Amino acid sequence: MRNIAWGAVLAPVILALGLAGCEAPREQVTIFERDAVPEKLSAWHLVESIDGELSPNAGVTPYDLNTALFTDYAHKLRTVWMPAGSSARYGEENFDYPVGTVLTKTFYYPKGDKGAVLRSDDYGSDYAPGKAGRALNLETVRLVETRLLVKRGDGWQALPYVWNEQQTEATLKIAGDASRMQLVSENGEAAPFTYVVPDSNQCAGCHADNHTEKSLQPLGPRARHLNKEYRYADGAQNQLLHWQQIGYLSELPEFSQIPSNVDYADTSLSLGDRARSYLDINCGHCHNPAGAADTSGLMLTHGERDMRRLGVCKPPVAAGTGSGNRRFAIVPGAPDQSILNFRVESTDPGAMMPELGRSLVHEEGTALLSEWVASLSGSCS
């Protein structure tokens, strides 16, 4: 395949984040033209399997989200890279990323016995010694896929790469992929499931959150999701400030003007804020005024304040299987009568929400939404 280097750049030392150390020099990050993408992930030199670690290159900066999209209990390592001398411009809803930006998201699981993977919220053993948050330890985790979003002159391109059994290389799978796995919970119970890698067209099903324009957009690296601390090599720092410091973000406003979602699992925080953050990241890409689910009238983004549009006492557009024969999206105080709870608790392809990205029920997430709906007051009579 023709290897066309576009803006191949070695990032400044300040971006290295301690990844280089005494390691052997690595090749520069390479950007390929839309119609000449490589078959192998390693050709990009973004994240590579080297000496038992999945390691981001210099300038390939890891990041995290306040609350992340649920994907069958997979853990994720996210990174961003931008060509030298360019930066994203801040926007409350979307950043204006420069052409050449590459976002990566690597999906993986903690390893269990006999090829099984573990269901765990603990990331502590995922990382290589001394590289918490920056390099994965391939002795303790199983890599599944790495998805790329590449900013082209005409928009974003989605590219899914699937890791081999040896955990040494990932191969481009435009048509997607599926793997049968065993997921073992903390109590030792094993459950079979199929991990699905979406094809490139399915990526647009979520990432084209403006259904009219149908253009892909990054969903995670937005201000409200990034507004939190991350543990970098030289210490913890707010991610937005860090991006600004390394030249990846410009026009950052005063912090009082920056929205912030919360960690849905942090029980010290408001139940309502936790539930709304969960709905925003898992449902808001479709359930927004311009999204694919706009005709439903159900708006689940972080900024929605109209309780009717949020689902309280709102009847469905269409009844039947998808509604579970329930009358309203949310019945205050009654999650067992609410369509929202029915759909997030379902694994029936004709009823489950979100429609893509999961085959399992997120027990912790559904428990949160059930507790939240149960706490709401009012009546739909």
Side-chain angles (χ1 to χ4, degrees):
M1 181 174 289
R2 188 164 55 104
N3 185 332
I4 301 178
W6 184 98
V9 183
L10 181 63
V13 174
I14 191 172
L15 299 179
L17 300 175
L19 289 172
C22 297
E23 300 170 2
R26 293 168 63 174
E27 293 190 43
Q28 303 172 22
V29 171
T30 303
I31 304 300
F32 299 85
E33 292 185 355
R34 178 183 285 273
D35 59 353
V37 296
E39 182 183 5
K40 303 301 181 183
L41 177 66
S42 61
W44 295 87
H45 304 296
L46 291 157
V47 291
E48 297 173 275
S49 177
I50 300 174
D51 297 332
E53 299 177 6
L54 183 73
S55 217
N57 208 343
V60 180
T61 302
Y63 67 90
D64 197 8
L65 310 180
N66 279 307
T67 287
L69 177 74
F70 172 71
T71 313
D72 285 347
Y73 291 100
H75 291 198
K76 298 162 189 175
L77 175 66
R78 304 168 181 84
T79 73
V80 57
W81 179 87
M82 298 180 200
S86 64
S87 66
R89 288 203 308 272
Y90 177 89
E92 184 171 309
E93 184 59 27
N94 291 309
F95 294 170
D96 183 7
Y97 287 94
V99 172
T101 297
V102 187
L103 303 167
T104 81
K105 183 161 59 171
T106 297
F107 297 71
Y108 67 94
Y109 289 90
K111 284 183 180 177
D113 296 329
K114 300 178 180 178
V117 295
L118 302 180
R119 172 181 157 182
S120 171
D121 291 330
D122 182 9
Y123 277 61
S125 63
D126 295 357
Y127 301 110
K131 297 181 180 179
R134 302 189 306 282
L136 297 178
N137 184 351
L138 299 185
E139 291 186 1
T140 61
V141 305
R142 173 182 171 181
L143 306 176
V144 182
E145 60 162 323
T146 296
R147 300 179 193 174
L148 271 57
L149 271 180
V150 186
K151 180 65 179 293
R152 309 296 193 180
D154 58 352
W156 292 90
Q157 181 181 20
L159 300 168
Y161 287 83
V162 177
W163 284 92
N164 61 16
E165 289 295 327
Q166 296 76 27
Q167 305 284 270
T168 55
E169 182 63 275
T171 302
L172 183 64
K173 298 285 186 180
I174 292 294
D177 196 45
S179 301
R180 293 289 293 168
M181 296 187 184
Q182 288 280 337
L183 184 67
V184 180
S185 63
E186 292 181 353
N187 63 13
E189 293 183 0
F193 75 106
T194 300
Y195 183 97
V196 177
V197 177
D199 62 42
S200 292
N201 290 329
Q202 288 174 316
C203 291
C206 292
H207 282 274
D209 59 348
N210 186 312
H211 195 56
T212 301
E213 296 180 358
K214 299 188 184 300
S215 59
L216 274 65
Q217 291 289 342
L219 299 175
R222 293 174 170 176
R224 64 186 182 275
H225 304 310
L226 292 172
N227 192 1
K228 61 169 291 186
E229 284 196 343
Y230 192 90
R231 185 168 59 175
Y232 299 99
D234 54 356
Q237 186 180 20
N238 181 281
Q239 294 182 125
L240 296 173
L241 287 177
H242 185 77
W243 283 31
Q244 177 181 250
Q245 177 181 307
I246 65 175
Y248 275 7
L249 186 60
S250 63
E251 302 180 21
L252 188 67
E254 293 294 327
F255 252 76
S256 60
Q257 302 176 35
I258 301 175
S260 180
N261 277 7
V262 303
D263 179 355
Y264 89 96
D266 187 346
T267 56
S268 70
L269 301 175
S270 155
L271 176 61
D273 287 345
R274 292 164 56 210
R276 293 298 305 277
S277 291
Y278 185 87
L279 290 170
D280 182 29
I281 193 69
N282 283 280
C283 311
H285 51 273
C286 284
H287 286 276
N288 69 74
D294 59 344
T295 56
S296 71
L298 183 64
M299 303 295 123
L300 300 177
T301 56
H302 74 296
E304 185 57 61
R305 294 294 176 262
D306 185 323
M307 295 302 289
R308 176 82 167 190
R309 285 163 59 88
L310 189 58
V312 175
C313 299
K314 181 195 171 303
V317 172
T321 303
S323 67
N325 294 313
R326 301 180 182 188
R327 295 180 59 197
F328 303 105
I330 293 176
V331 178
D336 59 340
Q337 299 175 33
S338 301
I339 298 170
L340 183 146
N341 299 91
F342 167 74
R343 302 198 76 169
V344 298
E345 293 168 6
S346 176
T347 55
D348 179 350
M352 64 185 286
M353 285 291 173
E355 296 175 309
L356 300 172
R358 73 171 180 93
S359 60
L360 300 173
V361 174
H362 188 199
E363 295 179 10
E364 296 78 6
T366 56
L368 168 66
L369 295 179
S370 181
E371 182 182 1
W372 173 61
V373 171
S375 75
L376 298 176
S377 59
S379 171
C380 296
S381 59

